Amino acid sequence: MKAFPSIEDLRRSARRKVPKMFFDYAEAGSYNQETLRANRSDLEQIKLRQRVLVNVDQRDTSTRILGEKVSLPLALAPIGLGGMMHGDGEIAACRAAQAAGIPYTLSTMSICSIEDVAGAVQEPFWFQLYVMRDRGFIRELIQRAQTAKCSALMLTVDLQVLGQRHCDVRNGLTVPPEIKIRNVIDIATKPAWALSILKGRRKTFGNLAGHVKDTTNINSLAQWTASQFDPTLSWKDVEWVKSLWPGKLILKGILDVDDAKIAVTTGADAISVSNHGGRQLDGAPSAISTLPRIADAVGSEIQVLFDSGVRTGADIVRALALGARSCIIGRSYIYGLGAGGQAGVARAIEILGKELDTTMALCGVKAIAEINRDVLAEPSIATMQRPQ
Ligand SMILES: Cc1cc2nc3c(=O)[nH]c(=O)nc-3n(C[C@H](O)[C@H](O)[C@H](O)COP(=O)(O)O)c2cc1C
Protein backbone atom coordinates (compact mmCIF):
# COMPACT_ATOMS: atom_id res chain seq x y z
CA MET A 1 0.00 0.00 0.00
CA LYS A 2 3.08 2.25 0.07
CA ALA A 3 2.18 3.30 -3.47
CA PHE A 4 -0.62 5.39 -1.94
CA PRO A 5 0.95 8.58 -0.59
CA SER A 6 -2.28 10.29 0.46
CA ILE A 7 -5.90 9.71 1.43
CA GLU A 8 -6.86 11.12 -1.97
CA ASP A 9 -4.87 8.32 -3.65
CA LEU A 10 -6.76 5.75 -1.56
CA ARG A 11 -10.02 7.43 -2.58
CA ARG A 12 -9.21 7.12 -6.27
CA SER A 13 -8.30 3.48 -5.86
CA ALA A 14 -11.51 2.75 -3.92
CA ARG A 15 -13.53 4.39 -6.67
CA ARG A 16 -12.03 1.97 -9.19
CA LYS A 17 -12.51 -1.11 -6.99
CA VAL A 18 -15.89 -0.69 -5.31
CA PRO A 19 -19.22 -0.85 -7.22
CA LYS A 20 -20.58 2.60 -7.95
CA MET A 21 -23.64 2.16 -5.73
CA PHE A 22 -21.50 1.64 -2.62
CA PHE A 23 -18.74 4.09 -3.49
CA ASP A 24 -21.31 6.83 -4.11
CA TYR A 25 -23.02 5.95 -0.82
CA ALA A 26 -19.74 6.42 1.04
CA GLU A 27 -18.72 9.58 -0.78
CA ALA A 28 -21.91 11.58 -0.85
CA GLY A 29 -23.48 14.18 1.38
CA SER A 30 -27.17 14.93 1.75
CA TYR A 31 -29.23 17.03 -0.69
CA ASN A 32 -27.19 19.79 -2.32
CA GLN A 33 -24.04 18.73 -0.41
CA GLU A 34 -23.40 22.29 0.77
CA THR A 35 -22.44 21.16 4.26
CA LEU A 36 -20.29 18.37 2.87
CA ARG A 37 -18.30 20.93 0.86
CA ALA A 38 -18.15 23.42 3.74
CA ASN A 39 -16.56 20.76 5.97
CA ARG A 40 -13.57 20.66 3.64
CA SER A 41 -13.37 24.27 2.54
CA ASP A 42 -13.56 25.65 6.08
CA LEU A 43 -10.85 23.29 7.28
CA GLU A 44 -8.63 24.36 4.39
CA GLN A 45 -9.16 28.01 5.24
CA ILE A 46 -7.53 27.57 8.64
CA LYS A 47 -3.87 28.36 8.23
CA LEU A 48 -1.12 27.08 10.46
CA ARG A 49 1.82 29.06 11.81
CA GLN A 50 5.12 27.92 10.41
CA ARG A 51 7.72 28.07 13.17
CA VAL A 52 11.43 27.61 12.54
CA LEU A 53 14.58 26.80 14.48
CA VAL A 54 12.70 25.08 17.28
CA ASN A 55 14.19 21.79 18.41
CA VAL A 56 11.48 19.31 17.43
CA ASP A 57 13.45 16.11 17.85
CA GLN A 58 11.67 13.27 19.69
CA ARG A 59 8.09 14.10 18.90
CA ASP A 60 5.23 12.17 20.46
CA THR A 61 1.80 11.84 18.87
CA SER A 62 0.33 9.70 21.65
CA THR A 63 -2.42 10.95 23.94
CA ARG A 64 -5.45 9.69 25.87
CA ILE A 65 -9.06 9.45 24.73
CA LEU A 66 -11.60 8.71 27.46
CA GLY A 67 -8.73 7.57 29.65
CA GLU A 68 -7.44 5.09 27.03
CA LYS A 69 -3.83 5.52 25.91
CA VAL A 70 -3.76 5.91 22.12
CA SER A 71 -0.92 6.28 19.64
CA LEU A 72 -2.64 9.13 17.79
CA PRO A 73 -5.44 11.58 18.60
CA LEU A 74 -7.65 9.59 16.24
CA ALA A 75 -10.47 7.06 16.26
CA LEU A 76 -12.32 5.28 13.45
CA ALA A 77 -15.93 6.41 13.02
CA PRO A 78 -18.96 4.16 12.88
CA ILE A 79 -19.77 3.42 9.24
CA GLY A 80 -23.02 1.75 8.24
CA LEU A 81 -22.46 -0.86 5.50
CA GLY A 82 -18.70 -0.78 6.10
CA GLY A 83 -18.75 -4.44 5.14
CA MET A 84 -19.98 -3.50 1.67
CA MET A 85 -16.75 -1.64 0.92
CA HIS A 86 -14.85 -4.89 1.45
CA GLY A 87 -15.86 -8.34 2.70
CA ASP A 88 -15.81 -8.48 6.52
CA GLY A 89 -14.89 -4.80 6.32
CA GLU A 90 -15.69 -4.05 9.94
CA ILE A 91 -13.33 -6.77 11.17
CA ALA A 92 -10.62 -5.55 8.80
CA ALA A 93 -11.00 -1.95 9.98
CA CYS A 94 -11.09 -2.92 13.65
CA ARG A 95 -7.94 -5.03 13.29
CA ALA A 96 -6.13 -2.19 11.53
CA ALA A 97 -7.17 0.29 14.23
CA GLN A 98 -6.10 -2.00 17.06
CA ALA A 99 -2.76 -2.75 15.39
CA ALA A 100 -2.21 1.02 15.17
CA GLY A 101 -3.27 1.59 18.79
CA ILE A 102 -6.40 3.66 18.20
CA PRO A 103 -10.12 3.00 18.91
CA TYR A 104 -12.52 1.55 16.36
CA THR A 105 -16.27 2.18 16.49
CA LEU A 106 -18.67 -0.45 15.18
CA SER A 107 -21.92 0.94 13.73
CA THR A 108 -25.37 -0.37 14.61
CA MET A 109 -25.81 -0.57 10.82
CA SER A 110 -22.71 -2.66 10.23
CA ILE A 111 -22.60 -5.82 8.15
CA CYS A 112 -20.55 -7.82 10.67
CA SER A 113 -22.33 -8.11 14.01
CA ILE A 114 -20.99 -7.08 17.42
CA GLU A 115 -20.30 -10.75 18.14
CA ASP A 116 -18.57 -11.31 14.77
CA VAL A 117 -16.15 -8.47 15.48
CA ALA A 118 -15.64 -9.33 19.16
CA GLY A 119 -14.77 -12.90 18.16
CA ALA A 120 -12.21 -11.76 15.59
CA VAL A 121 -10.19 -9.10 17.42
CA GLN A 122 -8.06 -8.97 20.55
CA GLU A 123 -9.00 -5.71 22.21
CA PRO A 124 -12.27 -4.01 23.16
CA PHE A 125 -13.82 -1.66 20.60
CA TRP A 126 -16.47 1.05 20.80
CA PHE A 127 -20.07 0.46 19.76
CA GLN A 128 -22.25 3.12 18.11
CA LEU A 129 -25.95 3.09 18.90
CA TYR A 130 -28.88 4.32 16.86
CA VAL A 131 -32.02 4.36 18.97
CA MET A 132 -34.83 2.76 16.98
CA ARG A 133 -38.54 2.58 17.68
CA ASP A 134 -38.33 -0.88 19.23
CA ARG A 135 -36.83 0.03 22.62
CA GLY A 136 -36.78 -3.61 23.71
CA PHE A 137 -34.42 -4.33 20.84
CA ILE A 138 -32.25 -1.32 21.73
CA ARG A 139 -32.02 -2.54 25.32
CA GLU A 140 -30.87 -5.92 23.95
CA LEU A 141 -28.30 -4.25 21.67
CA ILE A 142 -26.84 -2.34 24.62
CA GLN A 143 -26.67 -5.61 26.55
CA ARG A 144 -24.91 -7.28 23.61
CA ALA A 145 -22.34 -4.48 23.48
CA GLN A 146 -21.74 -4.96 27.20
CA THR A 147 -21.38 -8.72 26.85
CA ALA A 148 -18.89 -8.13 24.03
CA LYS A 149 -16.93 -5.89 26.45
CA CYS A 150 -17.19 -2.78 24.28
CA SER A 151 -15.21 -0.05 26.02
CA ALA A 152 -17.47 2.87 25.07
CA LEU A 153 -20.96 3.45 23.75
CA MET A 154 -21.32 6.17 21.14
CA LEU A 155 -24.91 7.36 20.94
CA THR A 156 -25.61 9.12 17.64
CA VAL A 157 -28.06 11.95 18.20
CA ASP A 158 -28.27 13.61 14.78
CA LEU A 159 -30.26 11.01 12.85
CA GLN A 160 -33.83 11.01 14.09
CA VAL A 161 -34.84 11.32 10.46
CA LEU A 162 -32.65 10.51 7.49
CA GLY A 163 -31.17 13.20 5.22
CA GLN A 164 -31.50 12.08 1.62
CA ARG A 165 -28.50 11.37 -0.54
CA HIS A 166 -29.72 11.80 -4.09
CA CYS A 167 -27.22 9.28 -5.49
CA ASP A 168 -28.65 6.50 -3.31
CA VAL A 169 -32.06 7.14 -4.85
CA ARG A 170 -30.63 7.25 -8.38
CA ASN A 171 -28.53 4.12 -7.81
CA GLY A 172 -31.39 2.27 -6.11
CA LEU A 173 -29.12 1.42 -3.16
CA THR A 174 -30.13 -1.92 -1.65
CA VAL A 175 -28.39 -4.34 0.66
CA PRO A 176 -27.46 -6.80 -0.77
CA PRO A 177 -27.38 -5.24 -4.27
CA GLU A 178 -30.43 -5.97 -6.39
CA ILE A 179 -29.89 -8.18 -9.41
CA LYS A 180 -30.32 -5.54 -12.10
CA ILE A 181 -28.40 -5.56 -15.37
CA ARG A 182 -26.68 -2.28 -14.45
CA ASN A 183 -25.50 -3.67 -11.11
CA VAL A 184 -24.43 -6.99 -12.55
CA ILE A 185 -22.25 -5.25 -15.14
CA ASP A 186 -20.78 -2.97 -12.50
CA ILE A 187 -20.01 -5.85 -10.13
CA ALA A 188 -18.60 -7.98 -12.98
CA THR A 189 -15.97 -5.30 -13.50
CA LYS A 190 -15.01 -5.37 -9.79
CA PRO A 191 -14.00 -9.04 -9.35
CA ALA A 192 -11.73 -8.54 -6.31
CA TRP A 193 -14.55 -6.75 -4.50
CA ALA A 194 -17.09 -9.44 -5.47
CA LEU A 195 -14.79 -12.20 -4.23
CA SER A 196 -14.14 -10.48 -0.90
CA ILE A 197 -17.88 -9.96 -0.36
CA LEU A 198 -18.63 -13.58 -1.30
CA LYS A 199 -16.02 -14.76 1.19
CA GLY A 200 -17.35 -12.41 3.91
CA ARG A 201 -19.48 -13.95 6.60
CA ARG A 202 -22.55 -11.77 6.07
CA LYS A 203 -24.36 -9.92 3.28
CA THR A 204 -26.76 -7.82 5.29
CA PHE A 205 -27.04 -5.93 8.60
CA GLY A 206 -25.41 -8.28 11.12
CA ASN A 207 -26.67 -6.59 14.30
CA LEU A 208 -30.26 -6.49 13.12
CA ALA A 209 -30.49 -9.94 11.51
CA GLY A 210 -33.18 -12.01 13.15
CA HIS A 211 -34.41 -9.06 15.22
CA VAL A 212 -35.83 -6.62 12.75
CA LYS A 213 -38.13 -7.73 9.94
CA ASP A 214 -36.97 -7.67 6.30
CA THR A 215 -33.27 -7.09 6.81
CA THR A 216 -32.41 -9.91 4.45
CA ASN A 217 -33.94 -8.18 1.47
CA ILE A 218 -34.30 -4.50 1.94
CA ASN A 219 -36.06 -2.91 -0.97
CA SER A 220 -34.93 0.58 -0.23
CA LEU A 221 -32.44 1.34 2.47
CA ALA A 222 -33.77 4.86 2.85
CA GLN A 223 -37.38 3.71 3.19
CA TRP A 224 -36.49 1.01 5.64
CA THR A 225 -34.31 3.31 7.77
CA ALA A 226 -37.08 5.88 7.84
CA SER A 227 -39.49 3.28 9.18
CA GLN A 228 -37.13 2.08 11.93
CA PHE A 229 -35.52 5.27 13.23
CA ASP A 230 -37.35 7.14 15.91
CA PRO A 231 -38.23 10.82 15.41
CA THR A 232 -39.40 11.08 19.03
CA LEU A 233 -35.83 10.68 20.32
CA SER A 234 -35.14 13.24 23.06
CA TRP A 235 -32.76 14.09 25.92
CA LYS A 236 -34.89 11.79 28.10
CA ASP A 237 -33.71 8.87 25.94
CA VAL A 238 -30.12 9.87 26.58
CA GLU A 239 -30.87 9.47 30.29
CA TRP A 240 -32.47 6.09 29.55
CA VAL A 241 -29.44 4.91 27.57
CA LYS A 242 -27.13 6.14 30.30
CA SER A 243 -29.12 4.19 32.90
CA LEU A 244 -28.54 1.00 30.88
CA TRP A 245 -24.88 1.54 30.02
CA PRO A 246 -22.41 1.57 32.90
CA GLY A 247 -19.35 2.42 30.77
CA LYS A 248 -18.12 5.50 28.91
CA LEU A 249 -20.77 7.33 26.90
CA ILE A 250 -20.12 9.56 23.87
CA LEU A 251 -22.85 11.72 22.28
CA LYS A 252 -22.12 12.02 18.59
CA GLY A 253 -23.59 14.72 16.40
CA ILE A 254 -23.49 17.88 18.53
CA LEU A 255 -23.23 21.04 16.42
CA ASP A 256 -24.75 23.73 18.58
CA VAL A 257 -23.51 25.44 21.74
CA ASP A 258 -26.86 25.10 23.52
CA ASP A 259 -26.99 21.37 22.78
CA ALA A 260 -23.41 20.99 23.96
CA LYS A 261 -24.31 22.63 27.27
CA ILE A 262 -27.26 20.23 27.71
CA ALA A 263 -24.97 17.32 26.82
CA VAL A 264 -22.75 18.25 29.76
CA THR A 265 -25.70 17.90 32.15
CA THR A 266 -26.44 14.33 30.96
CA GLY A 267 -23.27 13.03 32.54
CA ALA A 268 -21.96 11.78 29.19
CA ASP A 269 -18.17 11.47 29.10
CA ALA A 270 -17.65 13.02 25.66
CA ILE A 271 -19.35 14.69 22.74
CA SER A 272 -18.39 14.48 19.12
CA VAL A 273 -18.79 17.80 17.35
CA SER A 274 -20.08 16.51 14.04
CA ASN A 275 -22.55 17.04 11.22
CA HIS A 276 -22.42 13.38 10.28
CA GLY A 277 -19.90 14.10 7.54
CA GLY A 278 -22.36 16.41 5.78
CA ARG A 279 -24.91 13.60 5.46
CA GLN A 280 -27.75 15.00 7.57
CA LEU A 281 -28.80 18.68 7.75
CA ASP A 282 -27.67 20.23 4.50
CA GLY A 283 -27.15 23.94 5.10
CA ALA A 284 -25.75 23.31 8.58
CA PRO A 285 -22.41 24.97 9.25
CA SER A 286 -19.21 23.05 8.79
CA ALA A 287 -18.34 21.09 11.91
CA ILE A 288 -14.97 22.85 12.23
CA SER A 289 -16.58 26.31 12.26
CA THR A 290 -18.69 25.33 15.28
CA LEU A 291 -15.90 23.61 17.19
CA PRO A 292 -14.16 26.56 18.93
CA ARG A 293 -17.35 28.00 20.38
CA ILE A 294 -18.53 24.61 21.58
CA ALA A 295 -15.13 23.81 23.08
CA ASP A 296 -15.08 27.19 24.85
CA ALA A 297 -18.63 26.68 26.15
CA VAL A 298 -18.07 23.25 27.68
CA GLY A 299 -14.53 23.82 28.90
CA SER A 300 -13.12 20.78 30.65
CA GLU A 301 -16.52 19.48 31.78
CA ILE A 302 -16.73 16.95 28.98
CA GLN A 303 -14.23 15.65 26.42
CA VAL A 304 -14.67 17.16 23.01
CA LEU A 305 -14.06 14.94 20.01
CA PHE A 306 -14.37 16.12 16.43
CA ASP A 307 -15.38 14.62 13.12
CA SER A 308 -16.57 15.66 9.66
CA GLY A 309 -14.05 16.50 6.97
CA VAL A 310 -10.73 15.23 8.33
CA ARG A 311 -8.55 14.10 5.41
CA THR A 312 -5.03 15.16 6.42
CA GLY A 313 -2.71 15.35 9.38
CA ALA A 314 -2.92 19.14 9.13
CA ASP A 315 -6.70 18.83 9.66
CA ILE A 316 -6.05 16.96 12.90
CA VAL A 317 -3.77 19.78 14.09
CA ARG A 318 -6.43 22.33 13.13
CA ALA A 319 -9.15 20.54 15.10
CA LEU A 320 -6.93 20.02 18.13
CA ALA A 321 -5.92 23.68 18.02
CA LEU A 322 -9.60 24.65 18.12
CA GLY A 323 -10.34 22.58 21.21
CA ALA A 324 -10.82 18.94 20.17
CA ARG A 325 -9.18 16.24 22.24
CA SER A 326 -9.16 13.90 19.30
CA CYS A 327 -10.49 13.46 15.78
CA ILE A 328 -12.68 10.74 14.39
CA ILE A 329 -12.37 9.79 10.73
CA GLY A 330 -15.01 8.30 8.45
CA ARG A 331 -14.32 8.50 4.75
CA SER A 332 -10.55 8.73 5.18
CA TYR A 333 -10.43 5.13 6.34
CA ILE A 334 -13.37 3.87 4.30
CA TYR A 335 -11.43 4.81 1.17
CA GLY A 336 -8.55 2.72 2.51
CA LEU A 337 -10.94 -0.15 3.17
CA GLY A 338 -12.24 -0.05 -0.40
CA ALA A 339 -8.72 0.29 -1.80
CA GLY A 340 -7.14 -2.58 0.11
CA GLY A 341 -9.11 -4.03 3.02
CA GLN A 342 -7.23 -4.15 6.33
CA ALA A 343 -3.96 -3.08 4.70
CA GLY A 344 -5.74 -0.09 3.15
CA VAL A 345 -7.16 1.03 6.50
CA ALA A 346 -3.74 0.56 8.09
CA ARG A 347 -2.28 2.71 5.31
CA ALA A 348 -4.88 5.44 5.87
CA ILE A 349 -4.02 5.57 9.58
CA GLU A 350 -0.30 5.55 8.78
CA ILE A 351 -0.67 8.40 6.27
CA LEU A 352 -2.56 10.56 8.78
CA GLY A 353 -0.14 9.71 11.58
CA LYS A 354 2.89 10.67 9.51
CA GLU A 355 1.26 13.86 8.24
CA LEU A 356 0.31 14.78 11.79
CA ASP A 357 3.85 14.19 13.00
CA THR A 358 5.39 16.29 10.21
CA THR A 359 2.83 19.06 10.65
CA MET A 360 3.58 19.20 14.37
CA ALA A 361 7.30 19.46 13.64
CA LEU A 362 6.84 22.28 11.13
CA CYS A 363 4.59 24.12 13.60
CA GLY A 364 7.31 23.78 16.24
CA VAL A 365 5.45 21.44 18.62
CA LYS A 366 6.59 18.12 19.97
CA ALA A 367 3.58 16.81 21.89
CA ILE A 368 -0.18 16.67 21.41
CA ALA A 369 -0.73 18.66 24.61
CA GLU A 370 1.26 21.56 23.09
CA ILE A 371 -1.25 22.01 20.25
CA ASN A 372 -3.45 24.99 21.01
CA ARG A 373 -4.66 28.13 19.24
CA ASP A 374 -1.11 29.47 19.16
CA VAL A 375 -0.37 27.11 16.26
CA LEU A 376 -2.92 28.94 14.10
CA ALA A 377 -2.00 31.77 11.77
CA GLU A 378 -4.31 34.76 11.64
CA PRO A 379 -6.76 35.53 10.24
CA SER A 380 -8.57 32.27 10.40
CA ILE A 381 -11.87 30.79 11.43
CA ALA A 382 -10.42 30.41 14.89
CA THR A 383 -10.25 34.12 15.44
CA MET A 384 -13.59 34.76 13.75
CA GLN A 385 -15.28 32.34 16.14
CA ARG A 386 -13.67 33.47 19.36
CA PRO A 387 -16.22 34.78 21.87
CA GLN A 388 -16.08 38.60 22.22
C1 LIG B 1 -20.57 5.79 4.43
C2 LIG B 1 -20.86 6.39 5.77
C3 LIG B 1 -21.67 5.69 6.67
C4 LIG B 1 -21.89 6.23 7.94
N1 LIG B 1 -22.63 5.51 8.85
C5 LIG B 1 -22.77 5.98 10.10
C6 LIG B 1 -23.41 5.20 11.10
O1 LIG B 1 -23.84 4.08 10.86
N2 LIG B 1 -23.54 5.74 12.34
C7 LIG B 1 -23.06 6.99 12.65
O2 LIG B 1 -23.20 7.44 13.78
N3 LIG B 1 -22.43 7.73 11.72
C8 LIG B 1 -22.27 7.25 10.47
N4 LIG B 1 -21.60 7.99 9.55
C9 LIG B 1 -20.99 9.27 9.95
C10 LIG B 1 -19.56 9.01 10.42
O3 LIG B 1 -19.55 8.26 11.61
C11 LIG B 1 -18.80 10.32 10.64
O4 LIG B 1 -19.56 11.19 11.43
C12 LIG B 1 -18.46 10.99 9.32
O5 LIG B 1 -18.06 10.05 8.35
C13 LIG B 1 -17.34 11.99 9.54
O6 LIG B 1 -17.07 12.69 8.38
P1 LIG B 1 -15.89 12.30 7.37
O7 LIG B 1 -16.40 11.13 6.58
O8 LIG B 1 -15.73 13.51 6.55
O9 LIG B 1 -14.68 11.92 8.18
C14 LIG B 1 -21.35 7.48 8.27
C15 LIG B 1 -20.56 8.17 7.35
C16 LIG B 1 -20.31 7.63 6.12
C17 LIG B 1 -19.42 8.38 5.17
Side-chain angles (χ1 to χ4, degrees), residues 26 77-78 80 107 128 130 156 252 276-277 279 307-309 311 330-331:
S107 165
Q128 175 265 332
Y130 279 132
T156 299
K252 172 171 179 282
H276 216 103
R279 292 163 80 84
D307 76 67
S308 296
R311 301 286 182 276
R331 295 179 184 85

Side-chain angles (χ1 to χ4, degrees), residues 75-366:
L76 301 193
I79 297 290
L81 311 191
M84 283 289 146
M85 295 299 280
H86 190 277
D88 285 342
E90 291 89 1
I91 291 173
C94 188
R95 284 184 175 152
Q98 295 189 347
I102 62 171
Y104 167 77
T105 321
L106 181 71
S107 165
T108 294
M109 305 297 285
S110 55
I111 301 295
C112 291
S113 69
I114 303 176
E115 293 77 12
D116 293 339
V117 179
V121 303
Q122 304 301 322
E123 312 277 328
F125 52 93
W126 296 354
F127 180 66
Q128 175 265 332
L129 184 71
Y130 279 132
V131 175
M132 298 180 190
R133 290 177 199 262
D134 181 349
R135 295 299 154 89
F137 174 61
I138 296 307
R139 189 190 283 269
E140 256 176 60
L141 257 188
I142 295 174
Q143 185 56 54
R144 286 168 62 190
Q146 222 176 312
T147 306
K149 302 202 165 34
C150 291
S151 51
L153 187 72
M154 180 184 274
L155 173 63
T156 299
V157 295
D158 62 1
L159 203 138
Q160 278 155 289
V161 297
L162 186 70
Q164 175 171 297
R165 292 175 298 270
H166 297 328
C167 60
D168 293 351
V169 178
R170 278 186 218 114
N171 293 334
L173 178 67
T174 61
V175 183
E178 249 184 288
I179 313 292
K180 281 188 190 163
I181 287 291
R182 193 177 51 176
N183 296 343
V184 170
I185 294 170
D186 192 15
I187 290 170
T189 60
K190 315 280 189 308
W193 176 88
L195 193 66
S196 91
I197 297 291
L198 273 178
K199 286 200 298 201
R201 47 198 92 186
R202 290 180 195 272
K203 317 283 176 272
T204 187
F205 299 107
N207 292 323
L208 315 184
H211 294 270
V212 181
K213 263 197 336 199
D214 292 341
T215 53
T216 45
N217 193 7
I218 296 159
N219 284 331
S220 148
L221 178 68
Q223 260 173 21
W224 181 85
T225 312
S227 70
Q228 298 297 323
F229 284 61
D230 189 353
T232 70
L233 194 71
S234 75
W235 289 103
K236 277 246 159 288
D237 296 294
V238 176
E239 261 175 49
W240 176 71
V241 169
K242 180 136 178 66
S243 74
L244 296 175
W245 178 257
K248 304 278 186 199
L249 181 67
I250 305 164
L251 301 183
K252 172 171 179 282
I254 302 288
L255 205 62
D256 186 274
V257 170
D258 290 346
D259 288 340
K261 287 180 182 162
I262 303 174
V264 169
T265 67
T266 64
D269 300 278
I271 54 172
S272 184
V273 173
S274 163
N275 55 31
H276 216 103
R279 292 163 80 84
Q280 282 295 97
L281 177 62
D282 196 33
S286 67
I288 196 70
S289 68
T290 69
L291 175 64
R293 260 192 261 166
I294 291 178
D296 286 342
V298 301
S300 58
E301 290 188 79
I302 197 164
Q303 272 196 22
V304 177
L305 311 177
F306 171 80
D307 76 67
S308 296
V310 174
R311 301 286 182 276
T312 66
D315 292 338
I316 300 174
V317 172
R318 289 165 169 141
L320 265 51
L322 293 176
R325 163 66 67 106
S326 172
C327 290
I328 304 178
I329 47 166
R331 295 179 184 85
S332 286
Y333 88 84
I334 279 300
Y335 295 148
L337 188 60
Q342 182 176 338
V345 178
R347 181 66 185 144
I349 298 167
E350 185 186 28
I351 289 168
L352 292 176
K354 285 200 169 145
E355 287 179 0
L356 167 66
D357 177 64
T358 306
T359 307
M360 283 168 61
L362 296 175
C363 288
V365 298
K366 286 169 48 163

